[in-house]
Amino acid sequence: MSRIGSTGSLGLTVQRELPGTPEEAFDAYTDPGRLRVWLSALGPEEGAVLTSVDLRVGGRWEARFRPNPQTLVHDVQTYREIDRPHRLVTDLVAESSVGGETMPTLETRIVMTFAATETGTLVTVEQSGFPATEMRDFFETTVWPAGLDRIAEFLASG
């Protein structure tokens, strides 16, 4: 479900129920070893996943990876709010290149919540600050669904 944020910037909301507890889902998203396993659809080796996490307000999550053979991504998220295992707020700066061509830098805010359900954890992602509808739609229909699918697979595998 897309929406325009209160500041007039383009935003999105994506929800997905994941297996496991809020603690397990939160840790899958914030622990560098777990991130390395699920972050790239190509896997940690072929996806060339490098990640580090300084999980504190003002700290950063940084990752370099290949979501596909043609694309290289460098994401830096700065933690603005941490309420383990319920809520994370980060500011994202994402740089990427596709086929060697540098893409425009993306700067957005991400708010994630993790709520226990009877069968797992409902993860809600709200991301705002997209510069264009096409970019927002790509994150809403491709980036977040695929990432949340990989986290679900990771959690289900134990």
Side-chain angles (χ1 to χ4, degrees), residues 91-108:
D91 289 333
L92 168 68
V93 176
E95 300 171 327
S96 62
S97 63
V98 179
E101 181 182 344
T102 300
M103 299 290 109
T105 299
L106 176 67
E107 296 184 31
T108 63

Side-chain angles (χ1 to χ4, degrees), residues 5 11 79 85 101 132 142:
Y79 294 105
E101 181 182 344
T142 303

Side-chain angles (χ1 to χ4, degrees), residues 24 37 65 82 93 120:
E24 291 167 332
V37 171
F65 62 99
I82 302 168
V93 176

